[in-house]
Amino acid sequence: MGKAKANAGPLARRPDNSAFKQQRLPAWSPMLTAQTVLPFFYGMAIVCVLLGVWLLVTVQNTHELKVDYTHAGSCDKCFEKRKDRANANQSCNCTVVFNIENTFKGDVFFYYGLINFHQNLRQYMDSRDDGQMIGRNKNLKNPSYYCEPFIKDKNGLPIAPCGAVANSMFNDSFTLMYHSAAGSRVVPLFRKGITWYTDKNVKFRNPQVENKTLTLAQVFEGTGQPLYWQKPVYDLDPWDRNNNGFINEDLIVWMREAAFPNFKKLYGVLNRAIEPFTDGLPAGNYSVLISYNFPVEYFQGRKEVVLSTVSWFGGQNNFLPVAYLVTGCLILLLAVILTAVWWKFGKNGRNMKE
Amino acid sequence: RANDRELNLSYKYSVSTGVDYSFQTNVYMMCVCVYVVCMLYMFSCVYDNAIKTSKYNIFTFLPLNLFEQFQRLANAYFLFLLCLQSIPEVSSLPWYTTVVPLVLVLSMTMAKDGSDDMVSSTSTNYSIKTALFLILLSSSSRETNLKVKQALTVTGKLEDSVEKLANFNGEVRCEPPNNRLDKFTGTLTLKGETYSLDNERILLRGCTLRNTQWCFGLVIFGGPDTKLMQNCGRTTFKRTSIDRLMNVLVLSIFGFLMIMCLILAIGNGIWEYQEGSKFAAFLPKGVNAPFSAFLTFWSYVIILNTVVPISLYVSVEIIRLGNSFYINWDRKMYYPKNDTPAEARTTTLNEELGQIKYIFSDKTGTLTQNVMTFNKCSINGKAYGEKTEKVDFSWNNLADPKFCFHDNSLVEVVREGNPEVQAFFRLLSLCHTVMPEEKKEGELYYQAQSPDEGALVTAARNFGFVFRSRTPESITVVEMGELVTYELLAVLDFNNVRKRMSVIVRSPEGKLTLYCKGADTIIFERLNPSCSNLTEFAGEGLRTLALAYKDIDPEYMEDWKLRHHVANTAMDEREEKLDALYEEIEKGLLLLGSTAVEDKLQDGVPQTIEQLSKADIKIWVLTGDKQETAENIGYSCNMLREEMNEVFIVSKDMEIELLRTACMCQTVICCRVTPLQKAQVVELVKKYKQAVTLAIGDGANDVSMIKAAHIGVGISGQEGMQAVLSSDYSFAQFRYLQRLLLVHGRWSYLRMCKFLRYFFYKNFTFTFVHFWYGFFCGFSAQTVFDEWFITLFNLVYTALPVLSLSLFDQDVNDWWSFQYPQLYTPGQLNQYFSKRAFVYTVLHSGYSSLVLFFIPWAAMYDTVRDDGKEIVDYQSFALLAQTCLLIAVSIQLGLDTHYWTAMNQFFLWGSLSVYFAVIFTMYSNGMFLTLTSSFPFIGTARNSLNQPNVWLTMLLTSVLCVLPVVAYRFLRILLWPTINDKVRGRGSTHLSLVRQDKVLPPTPRRVQARRTSTRRSGYAFSHAQGYGDLVTSGKFLRRTPKSRPALFSQTDSPLAQTQPQFYRTISEREEPPLSP
């Protein structure tokens, strides 16, 4: 390249003698030798097996109970009823009974689960307006085109919240009953605190208005409710006025779309302040009173109720512990094979000779 | 019009004429060039005196460049993707995923093109200074240079009178621009008379005037029309075999992409048919299943486009550029003697340097220095010059101090006054066409047409027969301190057929003598039968030249001279008639002796050739020299050894036979090859052997070969610039070739292959994960990863680590590369990157993508956070999957890296840190609140990355991705170690030693086997006709030169270095010790 240099002398064009230019940068050249690979494999095997055992023990100490109520118990009639779209406005309640054999110790979480519901379809997932849900007034009255075809209701009013995701919000409600010798009682559930902190406080906000005295209903005036909803968004939680609008926690939980077609979503957390639930859910007979609204027969889906305790490792999922155990064993096997091969062929470096 | 103008006596004066290509060009302007060369150009733009070879200007740059770039297939493809993305029904990714990479790539290419254009326009400006193609109108050539150029007599009369020149008015008609350097036809019409113009009257662009103080000229062709440019225009655009392979692969990847998209589209059709219709309550689509499948196909084309990553092409360019810079920067390929660093003139062929199978080399100036040394002589049957002490020439104050001779006895004999020896040196001082130049009293410089001549005349000079000056009619020699002037009657010039030259002189005593020197075989035929006594300098690789003389009868001479004059002025068959005359007089010669001139091999040539042949590279020497000379060199280069059998192929029209035989031979030397044939041989091998070829040469006669080969290498600084200008790489010494190939070439190839393998691995893995996810999301073209991750994966998160891998990686260092030239062979066999390697890479990515999708899927399936909240939501899963992917490919990169410099570490860890910094930034409240729709992933990083099961999943995927690879590679090294593994293994044990520089590079065993059985000799005067005509024409000495101040002093000029009569010691200046 012969760059003109300041020192125009007899060796003016001599390249610099820097380690970089001469490709002599100091470097570490690791080799895959028996001394490094074999200990590494044995080490990894031990780590994986130990992790697997530890995780397995952890997971085994959690409890989980799934009750499919799609057409279990008295829900069968509701299932039939929901087949007909015309009955959409008729309420239907049913009860499912189940039994807990061992006490669910610790915090118990109440989930509803959906099978074969594709929240992860691209068009479905895109059909929402975060700008609306963050409380922008512009978007409230003029939702993004992404919400198509759930932008305007039949009266031409903008839908709040717009889009297919919100429109299809799960709307069964549950009451968990504990039947003990002392009689039946409602299991107290916290219906708040079931969302991510960031969702509740940043991602979802009700529309901001200057006039603080306006009720939520007045704020949402001029918008229509999603087509499939029975209640408007400002009236989702009749018991807690602060849990309405876009910051309704059930709505927020629903709006966090699941990655896979089978998923469960948090419905409530056991309130352990009240006897006899201070230790968790005691063993015994339970029933769930279900307000059966959400139709699943269209898409051959199923609905379930899940009760679960968690560990530091999360819910009851045996895959990782087992996978670690299996991986650990495979690595151990591999390590033994490698050692044998090395012992036979590589130890004296015979193959490395020319 | 020029006549009206004020004549401007600057160096830079441009001629503005309307050039119409009927080649009727009026002389508008005279141009003045003072001593050196001026820049003259005809340009159709009237008031513009700059030459534009640059493609762009400021205004046209953007549109023109964009237009050019979109003509490239890859860029056009991405433009097409962009159009697809603008269709909402199809768009599976937001616009920025394509626009950001595209803009980045376009702007980088644009920057490169722009700077290239700027460089090329500045370099053009530079070359304009030496650009010249003009008719010599008049010149003051006082002495000759290597090629004689003379003005027409009619224009020569103009001399240097500005007045006359300004009034000059004529018309030139000439041939259209062409590339024949040796021919020019045209006419100059002046005042109604027509003069013919031929090559003699033309100065070509690129030539340098020597020994000419001034000349005036008229520009005929400029810029691309000059013969030099017509010659240099690269006819074919060279591409590497990796390029070609990549094109095939990219096409098959396209096919593969289409198949994947088709599968997913069909899946979508089925899904829509079976389930989608039932799901329509939640997601009304309004399209039927087949149309949905059609749209999905295009959506997946967008998503899966990462298999054909746009950044691939840019990265490849960057890597090649970087590796070219390494060549330019290499101190070990820098030749301090003429301050020439190696230069990669083409930045697109680097990896091919690691795959060379055949080298075609020129001989003179490439293998040899083209510097002749007078080594030995035999006078009257007695040989002188056996290596003894160095001769002290201090007794001779006109001696050339650089001349060395190693036999004192010869000096003694000369000083004793031995008549044979004196006649021997007298002949050497008289029989030549050398031009002397005496700047100061006693400081003689010789200008010789061939280096042999210079060597011989200088030898005579040092032995007391100093050729001092010449006129057309006389030669003045200082014979042992005595000034003697001989009358020069005739010069029987050298040519390729005659292979000898003679002079006929009359001594002061009036004796007529013919002195003749020539190739020994030729001279022997013409000797007086009574004499036959020649010591042969056999087996030493020297060129033997026989010297003979003959006294001539004055009467015969008169007659001969008359006939000579007649023949000389004959209009037809002049050559033949002259030859016959020469033949007649050069008979019955008496032998004086013989000289041995050695064209020394360049330093390190035998070692280089040995190294290269160890690397399984076949070296063919193609030379215009005759067989004996070529064989000599073959032996001294270790290419030929005694035990080898010789096969000669003489016949023509046996291409295949030639090739078959030649390829069976260890060594191939082609002699008497014309430049065109050189290229044909290269083409032959290219065509039938499918091997990568390299041609190396230094002269104009190698240009065709250099252009024909896959890679052309020019030796710079010897025989002009033509070979260098048409070459891809240039350096000053043949021995640097081994470093270019065994170190730079090998590394470039290795790096490029590693890069490609890794690049395809990471992109295929990336893409396959999307493929698997299709089966879970109803084939709806949902991406697994965050859109920003898709945008930045290739450009930010993985770009620098893989670049540092492909710029810094070395499997073994240069020392070991030299130690084991066998390391070069994998490149020749295409072992590091081939279709097979590509398939393995794809399978490997398939496995990795399975791990990277299904492990996170299973691990996250139906689980929750440690506080019971959501973790299997789409956003958390996207984050998990992309983090797993990034970590796994980063570890894979680490496994591929053999040479961990600080840069590698920095880029790898830096990129991972940047990734985490970016996701925390993009998923932050601020980004969401400002650009809500672009950053919907708010809080995902904070909520997911504090979960232990997320990290445990990442660990498991990494372990499962990496450990099988480690195990496989470990087993491979154990069971089937390649040469690389062996050398690396050895290297690591010796590493400490190497660091201390205690292990010195091996001195390659130099095989000294030289055969002594056959006589080998040659006559070096093989290049062109001598100066005989000029010497006798007398034109060049017409008047005493005007004393203009010399613009540069010759001794300081770099040209002085190349003047052949200086005897150089060859040891290269030692490099100063490397600073720590």
Side-chain angles (χ1 to χ4, degrees):
Chain A
M1 289 283 132
K3 241 181 269 173
K5 284 190 203 161
N7 58 331
L11 302 176
R13 298 171 68 199
R14 180 157 72 170
D16 293 339
N17 191 17
S18 64
F20 170 69
K21 289 190 173 181
Q22 302 307 318
Q23 305 200 62
R24 279 189 278 106
L25 287 174
W28 172 57
S29 310
M31 283 271 300
L32 292 179
T33 60
Q35 287 73 23
T36 51
V37 171
L38 294 180
F40 177 71
F41 267 74
Y42 284 110
M44 281 314 294
I46 291 168
V47 166
C48 287
V49 169
L50 289 181
L51 257 177
V53 170
W54 184 28
L55 294 181
L56 201 60
V57 170
T58 311
V59 171
Q60 291 303 315
N61 284 331
T62 61
H63 302 277
E64 191 178 67
L65 180 86
K66 286 187 177 176
V67 180
D68 185 328
Y69 69 92
T70 317
H71 34 208
S74 58
C75 289
D76 203 22
K77 66 171 179 6
C78 293
F79 178 75
E80 296 301 325
K81 194 172 195 172
R82 291 285 168 245
K83 275 185 176 170
D84 189 355
R85 189 73 56 82
N87 300 330
N89 288 327
Q90 299 175 17
S91 66
C92 179
N93 295 318
C94 60
T95 310
V96 175
V97 183
F98 59 94
N99 178 39
I100 290 180
E101 284 168 8
N102 299 309
T103 307
F104 278 33
K105 283 213 178 87
D107 286 332
V108 180
F109 298 87
F110 187 99
Y111 300 91
Y112 61 87
L114 281 174
I115 311 292
N116 201 27
F117 186 92
H118 282 80
Q119 260 200 321
N120 59 2
L121 294 182
R122 178 169 57 87
Q123 294 91 340
Y124 176 90
M125 229 170 187
D126 288 347
S127 183
R128 60 188 284 166
D129 186 0
D130 285 333
Q132 191 187 44
M133 298 233 181
I134 204 176
R136 297 220 168 97
N137 284 310
K138 187 174 65 108
N139 297 53
L140 181 69
K141 297 289 163 60
N142 197 3
S144 154
Y145 67 89
Y146 278 110
C147 287
E148 200 69 49
F150 300 101
I151 297 181
K152 302 245 164 104
D153 66 6
K154 51 187 178 291
N155 300 325
L157 291 174
I159 296 175
C162 73
V165 185
N167 187 58
S168 60
M169 183 177 154
F170 186 76
N171 54 1
D172 286 5
S173 56
F174 309 93
T175 311
L176 185 61
M177 305 289 290
Y178 173 51
H179 308 286
S180 64
S184 300
R185 55 181 307 170
V186 173
V187 177
L189 292 178
F190 288 121
R191 297 277 284 114
K192 286 177 76 179
I194 56 177
T195 63
W196 286 8
Y197 175 86
T198 47
D199 283 356
K200 176 83 179 173
N201 294 287
V202 184
K203 198 172 181 181
F204 294 89
R205 280 184 215 162
N206 279 326
Q208 304 297 304
V209 284
E210 308 251 321
N211 188 351
K212 298 283 177 196
T213 58
L214 287 179
T215 62
L216 209 52
Q218 287 167 315
V219 169
F220 278 100
E221 204 175 311
T223 63
Q225 70 187 51
L227 300 179
Y228 294 0
W229 286 20
Q230 285 133 345
K231 292 181 269 187
V233 68
Y234 49 82
D235 205 17
L236 283 172
D237 189 348
W239 295 283
D240 186 346
R241 305 309 309 170
N242 292 328
N243 193 21
N244 273 317
F246 294 143
I247 56 170
N248 176 277
E249 300 215 355
D250 286 332
L251 175 64
I252 294 174
V253 166
W254 180 254
M255 293 303 286
R256 184 151 285 281
E257 302 108 329
F260 299 103
N262 304 344
F263 58 90
K264 64 185 181 191
K265 287 190 179 291
L266 191 54
Y267 183 78
V269 186
L270 177 67
N271 182 353
R272 289 167 65 195
I274 297 163
E275 283 293 341
F277 305 112
T278 44
D279 284 344
L281 276 185
N285 292 322
Y286 290 82
S287 66
V288 195
L289 198 66
I290 300 156
S291 167
Y292 199 112
N293 298 315
F294 197 75
V296 290
E297 63 281 1
Y298 301 123
F299 54 91
Q300 290 141 3
R302 302 191 75 80
K303 300 194 282 191
E304 59 190 15
V305 163
V306 183
L307 286 168
S308 169
T309 62
V310 297
S311 62
W312 62 267
F313 183 60
Q316 194 179 59
N317 180 329
N318 278 311
F319 175 77
L320 268 188
V322 173
Y324 266 109
L325 276 177
V326 171
T327 307
C329 294
L330 282 178
I331 296 173
L332 192 65
L333 184 70
L334 206 55
V336 170
I337 294 172
L338 290 185
T339 314
V341 171
W342 171 71
W343 195 265
K344 193 154 188 325
F345 296 102
K347 199 176 139 206
N348 44 18
R350 197 176 47 208
N351 278 356
M352 292 302 270
K353 289 185 188 124
E354 280 164 75
Chain B
R1 333 277 157 72
N3 307 353
D4 305 333
R5 274 198 215 161
E6 191 183 343
L7 205 81
N8 193 336
L9 272 168
S10 69
Y11 293 103
K12 197 168 146 186
Y13 204 85
S14 119
V15 185
S16 309
T17 57
V19 187
D20 57 351
Y21 278 84
S22 66
F23 299 96
Q24 180 178 345
T25 309
N26 287 312
V27 179
Y28 287 117
M29 270 305 301
M30 276 324 68
C31 190
V32 181
C33 58
V34 180
Y35 196 82
V36 202
V37 189
C38 69
M39 27 188 295
L40 303 170
Y41 265 84
M42 295 213 258
F43 204 64
S44 46
C45 180
V46 174
Y47 290 109
D48 197 345
N49 65 351
I51 294 299
K52 285 185 186 141
T53 50
S54 60
K55 273 195 289 192
Y56 313 114
N57 65 33
I58 299 165
F59 304 107
T60 60
F61 178 69
L62 198 69
L64 264 184
N65 186 269
L66 279 181
F67 177 70
E68 276 187 10
Q69 290 207 42
F70 281 119
Q71 285 180 328
R72 292 175 200 161
L73 187 68
N75 294 348
Y77 168 64
F78 285 95
L79 199 65
F80 166 69
L81 281 183
L82 201 60
C83 296
L84 273 184
Q85 282 181 343
S86 61
I87 306 169
E89 283 76 28
V90 169
S91 174
S92 46
L93 284 173
W95 55 273
Y96 51 80
T97 51
T98 304
V99 166
V100 173
L102 190 66
V103 165
L104 219 81
V105 162
L106 287 183
S107 51
M108 276 176 82
T109 317
M110 207 180 278
K112 186 174 174 276
D113 285 355
S115 76
D116 277 2
D117 196 47
M118 247 145 73
V119 168
S120 87
S121 65
T122 49
S123 76
T124 313
N125 278 337
Y126 170 75
S127 62
I128 288 168
K129 290 193 180 105
T130 59
L132 187 82
F133 188 75
L134 43 74
I135 300 181
L136 213 52
L137 293 172
S138 64
S139 84
S140 73
S141 72
R142 183 166 56 88
E143 294 156 337
T144 58
N145 51 27
L146 294 177
K147 283 209 175 66
V148 184
K149 300 283 178 182
Q150 282 183 307
L152 285 172
T153 336
V154 59
T155 57
K157 284 178 192 153
L158 295 169
E159 300 194 345
D160 62 342
S161 145
V162 171
E163 191 95 336
K164 281 187 194 167
L165 286 166
N167 290 324
F168 182 82
N169 200 348
E171 185 182 290
V172 174
R173 283 170 181 273
C174 66
E175 59 185 3
N178 59 54
N179 63 358
R180 292 193 304 272
L181 290 170
D182 53 339
K183 277 224 169 73
F184 179 82
T185 46
T187 54
L188 170 72
T189 314
L190 193 65
K191 290 172 193 152
E193 282 194 62
T194 305
Y195 305 89
S196 85
L197 297 172
D198 59 13
N199 211 28
E200 284 268 286
R201 322 286 171 216
I202 298 294
L203 292 182
L204 298 180
R205 172 175 177 175
C207 71
T208 311
L209 290 184
R210 278 215 223 155
N211 310 300
T212 305
Q213 294 201 337
W214 53 266
C215 76
F216 292 92
L218 167 72
V219 182
I220 302 289
F221 297 128
D225 290 340
T226 55
K227 292 194 182 245
L228 187 72
M229 293 311 284
Q230 297 260 319
N231 249 312
C232 288
R234 164 141 291 150
T235 41
T236 50
F237 179 69
K238 292 185 181 180
R239 310 206 63 167
T240 65
S241 50
I242 293 267
D243 266 332
R244 290 188 290 273
L245 177 62
M246 240 160 62
N247 285 347
V248 174
L249 291 183
V250 165
L251 278 182
S252 55
I253 291 172
F254 266 116
F256 192 59
L257 171 70
M258 291 303 141
I259 291 172
M260 281 200 293
C261 294
L262 205 64
I263 293 173
L264 292 166
I266 292 171
N268 180 264
I270 296 170
W271 191 88
E272 285 293 332
Y273 181 72
Q274 290 184 342
E275 302 199 24
S277 52
K278 293 158 188 162
F279 201 70
F282 298 110
L283 186 69
K285 277 243 192 83
V287 295
N288 56 11
F291 189 62
S292 163
F294 174 76
L295 291 180
T296 306
F297 178 83
W298 294 110
S299 300
Y300 270 114
V301 168
I302 296 172
I303 286 188
L304 303 183
N305 79 68
T306 38
V307 279
V308 196
I310 192 168
S311 50
L312 176 74
Y313 290 95
V314 180
S315 307
V316 164
E317 293 292 310
I318 292 173
I319 293 164
R320 286 177 177 158
L321 193 67
N323 282 310
S324 303
F325 271 111
Y326 283 135
I327 292 172
N328 297 337
W329 286 334
D330 195 339
R331 267 203 165 197
K332 291 182 178 146
M333 288 164 65
Y334 166 80
Y335 191 54
K337 206 151 270 172
N338 49 15
D339 191 25
T340 315
E343 193 187 352
R345 302 174 45 83
T346 313
T347 56
T348 53
L349 299 172
N350 295 43
E351 74 270 6
E352 194 129 279
L353 287 175
Q355 301 186 277
I356 304 291
K357 185 75 190 163
Y358 287 91
I359 292 179
F360 299 93
S361 174
D362 174 42
K363 187 186 69 66
T364 315
T366 305
L367 297 176
T368 66
Q369 300 172 6
N370 205 14
V371 172
M372 305 296 159
T373 47
F374 178 84
N375 258 15
K376 297 188 177 185
C377 62
S378 153
I379 304 168
N380 206 14
K382 187 173 180 332
Y384 301 93
E386 292 307 322
K387 292 274 180 227
T388 53
E389 75 285 13
K390 200 176 156 187
V391 174
D392 176 26
F393 285 111
S394 57
W395 54 272
N396 180 353
N397 54 8
L398 286 171
D400 186 335
K402 297 188 189 81
F403 181 82
C404 293
F405 195 74
H406 288 272
D407 195 345
N408 250 331
S409 60
L410 185 59
V411 181
E412 281 158 20
V413 179
V414 174
R415 298 184 75 178
E416 277 164 16
N418 180 313
E420 282 89 9
V421 176
Q422 292 212 348
F424 178 89
F425 285 115
R426 186 175 296 120
L427 186 153
L428 288 184
S429 67
L430 290 173
C431 178
H432 55 78
T433 56
V434 170
M435 294 290 161
E437 184 180 12
E438 194 162 0
K439 284 250 170 68
K440 275 188 283 175
E441 180 73 25
E443 250 183 57
L444 274 171
Y445 294 95
Y446 292 147
Q447 301 272 337
Q449 186 263 352
S450 99
D452 311 43
E453 276 216 313
L456 295 173
V457 178
T458 308
R461 166 183 172 181
N462 276 43
F463 283 101
F465 285 77
V466 186
F467 166 60
R468 195 76 186 264
S469 65
R470 72 156 77 223
T471 70
E473 292 85 27
S474 69
I475 294 174
T476 308
V477 179
V478 181
E479 287 184 359
M480 304 309 290
E482 228 177 280
L483 203 70
V484 186
T485 303
Y486 290 88
E487 192 185 335
L488 182 62
L489 297 177
V491 177
L492 285 56
D493 202 4
F494 173 86
N495 71 28
N496 272 324
V497 185
R498 286 161 41 74
K499 291 191 188 340
R500 62 189 184 272
M501 80 161 284
S502 306
V503 291
I504 303 170
V505 294
R506 180 182 285 134
S507 68
E509 298 89 50
K511 208 169 105 185
L512 282 172
T513 317
L514 179 143
Y515 290 108
C516 178
K517 67 177 179 186
D520 43 7
T521 45
I522 302 282
I523 298 290
F524 290 160
E525 292 167 9
R526 285 165 181 77
L527 285 184
N528 194 318
S530 64
C531 109
S532 60
N533 191 0
L534 182 78
T535 309
E536 292 163 4
F537 301 105
E540 290 177 49
L542 305 176
R543 302 176 185 226
T544 314
L545 186 63
L547 311 181
Y549 77 103
K550 172 186 171 184
D551 290 323
I552 299 176
D553 180 41
E555 286 160 27
Y556 173 74
M557 187 62 205
E558 283 302 315
D559 173 48
W560 186 87
K561 236 186 142 178
L562 216 66
R563 284 188 288 144
H564 180 244
H565 182 76
V566 172
N568 212 3
T569 50
M571 285 312 287
D572 43 25
E573 292 181 352
R574 189 195 304 172
E575 297 283 312
E576 290 77 7
K577 285 176 182 166
L578 280 176
D579 275 350
L581 268 177
Y582 293 168
E583 193 72 37
E584 177 195 321
I585 200 163
E586 287 169 331
K587 259 182 193 159
L589 303 172
L590 296 167
L591 188 68
L592 264 177
S594 63
T595 65
V597 173
E598 184 180 20
D599 186 0
K600 272 201 174 168
L601 285 182
Q602 290 183 9
D603 278 1
V605 167
Q607 292 91 329
T608 305
I609 287 178
E610 193 183 340
Q611 285 280 84
L612 292 178
S613 50
K614 271 194 204 158
D616 208 17
I617 301 174
K618 298 235 161 64
I619 302 172
W620 293 23
V621 174
L622 309 179
T623 174
D625 279 2
K626 57 190 273 187
Q627 186 188 325
E628 292 90 336
T629 323
E631 267 182 64
N632 279 347
I633 297 298
Y635 280 98
S636 48
C637 292
N638 277 346
M639 292 177 64
L640 296 176
R641 286 185 290 279
E642 275 312 309
E643 68 272 16
M644 290 181 177
N645 295 320
E646 290 170 3
V647 179
F648 296 101
I649 298 171
V650 197
S651 128
K652 298 167 184 171
D653 310 323
M654 290 176 67
E655 286 195 348
I656 305 296
E657 193 57 34
L658 168 74
L659 191 74
R660 195 173 298 144
T661 318
C663 291
M664 283 193 291
C665 297
Q666 257 185 314
T667 307
V668 178
I669 298 178
C670 303
C671 0
R672 321 277 321 236
V673 188
T674 64
L676 188 65
Q677 284 172 329
K678 285 185 180 184
Q680 283 169 343
V681 171
V682 175
E683 293 289 355
L684 192 67
V685 173
K686 266 172 81 176
K687 188 172 161 195
Y688 291 106
K689 298 302 275 187
Q690 270 91 40
V692 184
T693 56
L694 179 145
I696 179 168
D698 71 322
N701 55 347
D702 306 316
V703 169
S704 60
M705 163 171 96
I706 285 174
K707 281 186 177 170
H710 290 104
I711 289 182
V713 178
I715 300 280
S716 48
Q718 299 276 331
E719 223 189 88
M721 292 298 283
Q722 284 195 39
V724 172
L725 283 177
S726 50
S727 68
D728 305 305
Y729 298 89
S730 71
F731 42 72
Q733 292 276 295
F734 181 78
R735 65 169 183 276
Y736 298 152
L737 187 63
Q738 63 172 325
R739 192 169 173 83
L740 184 73
L741 299 187
L742 298 185
V743 178
H744 289 286
R746 210 174 65 77
W747 282 347
S748 294
Y749 175 68
L750 181 86
R751 288 166 184 172
M752 184 58 74
C753 294
K754 273 194 176 184
F755 167 79
L756 289 175
R757 282 206 310 255
Y758 178 73
F759 203 89
F760 283 123
Y761 167 76
K762 101 180 145 76
N763 282 292
F764 272 95
T765 309
F766 179 91
T767 311
F768 285 161
V769 175
H770 282 127
F771 184 78
W772 307 129
Y773 190 54
F775 292 86
F776 290 84
C777 66
F779 307 97
S780 62
Q782 180 60 279
T783 58
V784 189
F785 310 123
D786 174 15
E787 283 141 2
W788 283 106
F789 181 79
I790 294 171
T791 313
L792 301 178
F793 176 70
N794 271 325
L795 287 172
V796 178
Y797 302 144
T798 57
L800 288 178
V802 68
L803 269 187
S804 67
L805 167 81
S806 42
L807 286 178
F808 300 120
D809 205 49
Q810 310 177 358
D811 53 348
V812 296
N813 63 18
D814 50 349
W815 190 84
W816 288 101
S817 305
F818 281 136
Q819 190 83 315
Y820 292 96
Q822 305 91 301
L823 288 171
Y824 190 79
T825 46
Q828 298 168 334
L829 303 172
N830 271 321
Q831 275 179 355
Y832 292 154
F833 191 74
S834 56
K835 285 177 189 153
R836 189 188 160 103
F838 176 74
V839 170
Y840 281 140
T841 302
V842 173
L843 292 178
H844 182 200
S845 340
Y847 166 76
S848 292
S849 66
L850 283 173
V851 167
L852 289 169
F853 178 75
F854 285 98
I855 298 286
W857 169 74
M860 288 297 120
Y861 181 74
D862 209 22
T863 191
V864 289
R865 282 157 57 95
D866 57 0
D867 56 3
K869 293 174 188 172
E870 184 94 76
I871 195 150
V872 211
D873 63 298
Y874 168 75
Q875 295 184 342
S876 303
F877 184 77
L879 177 67
L880 173 65
Q882 70 196 34
T883 313
C884 286
L885 173 78
L886 191 66
I887 292 176
V889 296
S890 296
I891 298 178
Q892 180 64 39
L893 180 85
L895 274 184
D896 286 345
T897 305
H898 279 159
Y899 194 76
W900 285 89
T901 64
M903 308 281 261
N904 292 73
Q905 302 270 8
F906 175 75
F907 284 139
L908 187 60
W909 299 113
S911 292
L912 281 174
S913 327
V914 163
Y915 167 70
F916 284 106
V918 166
I919 58 168
F920 275 103
T921 311
M922 285 195 173
Y923 302 171
S924 67
N925 303 353
M927 293 299 274
F928 178 71
L929 293 176
T930 28
L931 285 165
T932 308
S933 56
S934 298
F935 300 100
F937 273 56
I938 172 177
T940 312
R942 277 170 283 172
N943 283 293
S944 288
L945 294 179
N946 62 3
Q947 292 301 306
N949 52 359
V950 167
W951 289 100
L952 285 170
T953 310
M954 293 178 196
L955 176 67
L956 186 65
T957 52
S958 304
V959 165
L960 283 174
C961 278
V962 168
L963 284 192
V965 180
V966 175
Y968 166 73
R969 291 192 182 173
F970 178 67
L971 276 181
R972 209 209 60 220
I973 293 175
L974 271 187
L975 299 176
W976 309 283
T978 62
I979 177 75
N980 290 55
D981 300 326
K982 289 175 185 169
V983 174
R984 288 194 76 212
R986 194 153 307 182
S988 65
T989 53
H990 282 261
L991 208 59
S992 53
L993 292 172
V994 178
R995 289 235 171 96
Q996 293 161 16
D997 279 336
K998 287 210 173 130
V999 181
L1000 293 169
T1003 41
R1005 296 173 297 282
R1006 182 165 180 172
V1007 186
Q1008 288 290 352
R1010 281 184 172 167
R1011 72 177 176 176
T1012 48
S1013 52
T1014 331
R1015 181 169 61 82
R1016 298 192 304 278
S1017 64
Y1019 187 38
F1021 292 49
S1022 56
H1023 299 290
Q1025 188 134 358
Y1027 301 147
D1029 286 345
L1030 188 79
V1031 165
T1032 47
S1033 72
K1035 280 180 191 162
F1036 69 106
L1037 288 170
R1038 204 168 46 202
R1039 63 190 151 185
T1040 50
K1042 292 178 185 165
S1043 53
R1044 288 179 194 252
L1047 288 187
F1048 62 84
S1049 105
Q1050 195 164 4
T1051 42
D1052 294 338
S1053 152
L1055 291 171
Q1057 290 247 353
T1058 63
Q1059 292 191 355
Q1061 68 271 33
F1062 297 153
Y1063 293 87
R1064 313 190 207 142
T1065 47
I1066 305 303
S1067 70
E1068 195 176 326
R1069 190 181 312 192
E1070 285 295 314
E1071 275 194 47
L1074 309 173
S1075 53

